[in-house]
Amino acid sequence: MNLKVIAFDADDTLFVNEPYFQETEEKFCALMSDYLSHQGLSQELFKTEIANLDLYGYGIKGYILSMIEAAMRISNNTISLEVIEKIIVLGKELLQKPIELLDGVEDTLKALHGKYKLVVATKGDLKDQQRKLHDSGLGPYFHHIEVMADKQELNYQKLLKRLEIAPNEFFMIGNSLKSDVLPVLAIGGHAVHIPFHTTWEHEKISHKVEHPNFRTLEQISDVLPLLLKGRQ
């Protein structure tokens, strides 16, 4: 591999994210328990989130709006202002969650820093992702931080153009096969999947990935033998 750039997803690759959303969803379902079952409420909220992605994009602010919209629809517009206020509070709490680095992240970045250009390639709300990276203390390791509207082939191609590299010089590390792996492989890059114990339903795929430029590893530090060979 003639690699120049190592890219990292942020949420659930560098630090914890999805469990906080699941915790918030549990609280939302408890607030709305008079209207539907827990499963029914989760399905309605998920359906609303997906319908709103083109408008709001990924991130907590869009999630807050989707919770309010779902609550209004589920209640046939009878939901009280008090409950809407509580939903807004849930969203604000989500925006202020502490940063919990995943095991091995900082040691891995330290080992790679100075040997490659390291970048963050993530999606979500710009301000929130900037806050999390700042609070994580990881910012100084990265040459570039890219908060993408989505993670499709075109988005990665635009990133590579900005970085002035060829696809085969790009190596992506992330927890989502759908967002971090498949589009990168499709444009000729390299990708490693580091599974996280929980994954948002929208990020799941139903088929096995087989590709010469692809590997699945148990933890982030497992990339070091691959990337440091000959670079010590």
Side-chain angles (χ1 to χ4, degrees), residues 115-180:
K115 298 178 176 64
Y116 297 93
K117 283 185 178 179
L118 306 183
V119 307
V120 173
T122 192
K123 60 187 179 185
D125 178 77
L126 177 61
K127 187 173 179 62
D128 184 45
Q129 292 293 16
Q130 287 176 334
R131 174 194 69 84
K132 288 191 285 189
L133 283 163
H134 177 271
D135 291 351
S136 72
L138 300 177
Y141 293 108
F142 295 108
H143 167 78
H144 177 79
I145 293 170
E146 184 88 0
V147 181
M148 306 156 86
D150 203 349
K151 283 184 165 180
Q152 304 293 332
E153 292 175 34
L154 181 60
N155 304 97
Y156 282 106
Q157 287 168 339
K158 289 179 178 178
L159 173 60
L160 267 57
K161 187 175 181 180
R162 277 192 283 278
L163 294 169
E164 298 181 323
I165 59 169
N168 66 353
E169 297 171 324
F170 183 74
F171 187 99
M172 182 71 196
I173 299 168
N175 69 296
S176 170
L177 290 168
K178 181 178 179 181
S179 293
D180 301 319

Side-chain angles (χ1 to χ4, degrees), residues 7-19:
F8 295 82
D9 174 52
D11 294 331
D12 299 322
T13 298
L14 299 178
F15 37 68
V16 173
N17 179 65
E18 179 60 20

Side-chain angles (χ1 to χ4, degrees), residues 42-101:
S42 292
Q43 288 174 345
E44 287 299 314
L45 178 55
F46 178 72
K47 184 168 67 177
T48 307
E49 284 184 82
I50 300 306
N52 285 335
L53 278 179
D54 286 343
L55 281 174
Y56 303 148
Y58 296 86
I60 295 173
K61 293 171 188 174
Y63 184 64
I64 296 170
L65 291 170
S66 291
M67 283 194 290
I68 294 171
E69 182 182 335
M72 292 174 67
R73 187 179 65 253
I74 291 163
S75 69
N76 196 25
N77 294 324
T78 63
I79 198 73
S80 69
L81 289 176
E82 181 184 6
V83 172
I84 291 177
E85 184 178 11
K86 288 179 179 178
I87 290 172
I88 292 170
V89 169
L90 289 179
K92 288 183 175 180
E93 289 174 350
L94 191 53
L95 282 164
Q96 299 175 74
K97 288 292 185 182
I99 302 304
E100 182 182 347
L101 294 183

